[in-house]
Amino acid sequence: YNELMQRQKEGKASDTAVENEYGDRLGKGLKFSYTQPKKFFELKNGVEKEKEEEDDDDELDAFMAQINKQAQTEIHESRQKGEHVINTGDFTGGQEGRDDIEQEDMQESMIKYKPFEKKFYSEHPDIADLTLQQAFELRITLDIRVYGQNIPKPVVSFGHFQFDKPIMNLIVKNEFEKPTPIQTQAVPAALSGRDVLGLAKTGSGKTLAYIWPTIVHIMNQEELAPGDGPIALIVVPTRELAIQVYNEAKRYTSLYNIALVCAYGGGSKYEQKKALENGAELVIGTPVWGRIIDLVKIEATNFLRTTFLVLDE
């Protein structure tokens, strides 16, 4: 550790490079990539040894394979129902979609979006005092693996998030003892305005890991004007999950009178349309095969004000 810290002080290694290398020397299997494509390096006894990227599918590969299979099943069912689909390639290079979505709808917009605030995280003094070694060993203890540059340190208590009183009171009321591993790392990153890709098991607290930053983001934006679309959009694959996330989010949006709409196929399109036209800071819904695209096409809403996006599974 002292050797690596000396390299950092001399400007020979970045914080992230030092963290990754330190992790490898602890034998925890953390990998870090250099410029060579499709190859990784590991440190053994202080010597760099090249090895080929493992062929075994990791959890993310398996997850994407499952999504691909589900998409193909839905396409097959749509064809049996007589719905028209267009083919734009396979899942990795494109997808089949509904032919009522015109090509121009998929092109990059030339609209000039207004600037917005997205950085709301202030590191708690207790976390700021953690050394590089302590922060890294905390990730090891919590079984957290991170990739990226200038990653915020994980926290160890809800107080370190520095949420305002209404959220903290509800957390206490729900008898949550401490943040889950995905929350300890993902929440500081999201509150810092970073793009976050989080992977964790079911029941690990992923939903609240993005709902809390969503609430903070919404509360720090300008109020909606007539005709404005939502500030935040949460997209989920199924109606059941949309309702589940809606019920969880409603407990927190109600604390601040944030207008929340759940839009999914099978619900009343008229009622969803009216709710959106009345103004909603947060929309939770299902994508192309569900309801969101339909509501946009009938001009019930738009995403010109949307500055916080969540894709759940």
Side-chain angles (χ1 to χ4, degrees):
Y1 173 74
N2 292 334
E3 174 191 344
L4 295 174
M5 289 302 296
Q6 183 62 34
R7 288 176 56 189
Q8 182 188 30
K9 291 179 180 179
E10 294 174 355
K12 296 180 180 179
S14 66
D15 289 350
T16 302
V18 169
E19 286 191 11
N20 288 337
E21 191 168 335
Y22 182 58
D24 273 358
R25 293 195 181 193
L26 288 179
K28 296 302 179 180
L30 290 180
K31 301 172 182 177
F32 59 102
S33 60
Y34 288 84
T35 56
Q36 289 83 347
K38 296 185 178 180
K39 291 185 179 180
F40 291 93
F41 292 78
E42 64 177 359
L43 282 175
K44 291 185 178 179
N45 300 322
V47 179
E48 292 180 353
K49 292 186 178 181
E50 182 178 341
K51 70 175 182 178
E52 296 294 334
E53 184 178 10
E54 296 179 358
D55 295 329
D56 296 337
D57 291 341
D58 59 16
E59 293 183 34
L60 185 57
D61 292 331
F63 172 73
M64 294 305 297
Q66 181 181 358
I67 292 297
N68 189 20
K69 182 179 179 180
Q70 179 181 347
Q72 295 301 323
T73 300
E74 292 180 356
I75 290 171
H76 178 70
E77 292 176 352
S78 296
R79 283 173 172 162
Q80 288 183 327
K81 294 178 182 179
E83 298 176 357
H84 296 290
V85 295
I86 54 176
N87 190 349
T88 58
D90 60 18
F91 184 76
T92 56
Q95 64 180 7
E96 295 192 13
R98 292 180 354 194
D99 58 4
D100 64 334
I101 303 176
E102 300 176 2
Q103 190 67 26
E104 63 182 9
D105 293 333
M106 309 304 290
Q107 295 177 354
E108 184 177 357
S109 173
M110 300 301 292
I111 297 174
K112 298 296 183 181
Y113 293 95
K114 296 180 180 180
F116 62 94
E117 295 294 328
K118 65 177 183 178
K119 298 179 180 180
F120 312 108
Y121 183 62
S122 177
E123 197 172 57
H124 191 280
D126 291 346
I127 302 302
D129 288 341
L130 291 178
T131 65
L132 178 64
Q133 181 181 14
Q134 290 171 330
F136 198 89
E137 290 179 348
L138 177 58
R139 290 194 181 105
I140 293 173
T141 300
L142 297 173
D143 194 22
I144 297 173
R145 296 190 180 189
V146 293
Y147 300 87
Q149 299 293 324
N150 301 318
I151 302 168
K153 299 172 184 176
V155 303
V156 295
S157 76
F158 287 112
H160 293 152
F161 291 142
Q162 302 188 76
F163 291 140
D164 59 11
K165 192 172 181 179
I167 292 181
M168 289 302 299
N169 286 343
L170 186 53
I171 289 174
V172 172
K173 183 178 180 180
N174 290 329
E175 298 182 349
F176 295 149
E177 295 182 359
K178 60 182 179 180
T180 64
I182 186 69
Q183 293 168 357
T184 65
Q185 186 65 77
V187 172
L191 290 176
S192 299
R194 301 288 296 274
D195 292 332
V196 179
L197 173 60
L199 181 64
K201 296 180 180 179
T202 301
S204 60
K206 294 191 299 294
T207 302
L208 287 176
Y210 64 71
I211 285 180
W212 290 329
T214 300
I215 300 299
V216 173
H217 182 91
I218 291 173
M219 293 303 297
N220 283 277
Q221 307 304 317
E222 294 183 6
E223 292 187 5
L224 295 182
D228 281 348
I231 294 172
L233 173 66
I234 299 174
V235 182
V236 298
T238 66
R239 173 176 56 187
E240 292 74 20
L241 186 56
I243 296 173
Q244 176 183 328
V245 174
Y246 170 83
N247 290 331
E248 189 70 46
K250 189 175 181 180
R251 300 161 65 189
Y252 291 90
T253 57
S254 62
L255 299 174
Y256 303 95
N257 294 320
I258 294 174
L260 170 64
V261 171
C262 188
Y264 55 86
S268 171
K269 183 184 293 188
Y270 174 78
E271 292 182 0
Q272 293 171 8
K273 177 177 180 293
K274 295 300 293 183
L276 289 170
E277 289 175 343
N278 289 333
E281 286 94 350
L282 173 58
V283 171
I284 300 169
T286 51
V288 175
W289 297 102
R291 185 54 56 86
I292 292 179
I293 293 295
D294 291 335
L295 292 168
V296 171
K297 292 187 73 67
I298 63 175
E299 299 183 352
T301 190
N302 60 76
F303 299 121
L304 302 182
R305 283 290 308 275
T306 304
T307 51
F308 197 97
L309 173 65
V310 177
L311 302 177
D312 190 342
E313 300 190 12

